Amino acid sequence: MARYNHPEWHPLFAGYASGPTPLTTGSYGQLLYVTEFDGAPKIISEYFPEILEPAPPMLWSHAQGAEINGIGNPNEVRALTAPTFGEHLDDWNEIKISSS
């Protein structure tokens, strides 16, 4: 999870998700953006990784919901479980460094 102070959606949270199967564990599968509406967190956007592009930085394609632009650096990053796949772990480490 990463927290951003986005100019439009502040605060904005990014959740990087992977799957539970051996082929997806450790790799990014989705990027979900969440913000608060009426006192509760709501998913406002979904992105999928461009798996053929090298990372870092990981390139994401908009799938549905709000298009998030001008995100800047995160204010806080917390790993529930870090990715284990090489390039995805490198990308995650870059995200953590940019929040320092």
Side-chain angles (χ1 to χ4, degrees):
M1 296 295 301
R3 181 176 56 85
Y4 296 87
N5 188 19
H6 190 269
E8 182 180 357
W9 298 103
H10 45 81
L12 180 68
F13 298 89
Y16 298 86
S18 65
T21 65
L23 294 177
T24 60
T25 298
S27 63
Y28 293 158
Q30 284 182 308
L31 169 55
L32 301 173
Y33 286 105
V34 175
T35 195
E36 185 179 309
F37 279 104
D38 297 326
K42 304 290 183 188
I43 296 171
I44 61 166
S45 188
E46 179 180 25
Y47 283 74
F48 291 109
E50 292 293 337
I51 60 173
L52 299 179
E53 297 294 329
M58 177 59 85
L59 298 178
W60 296 91
S61 291
H62 179 255
Q64 61 183 339
E67 289 194 53
I68 307 299
N69 297 306
I71 196 160
N73 290 330
N75 300 98
E76 181 181 0
V77 175
R78 181 176 297 168
L80 304 176
T81 302
T84 55
F85 184 72
E87 291 177 336
H88 298 164
L89 180 58
D90 293 343
D91 187 61
W92 178 249
N93 286 325
E94 288 293 320
I95 293 168
K96 288 193 313 185
I97 289 170
S98 70
S99 72
S100 300

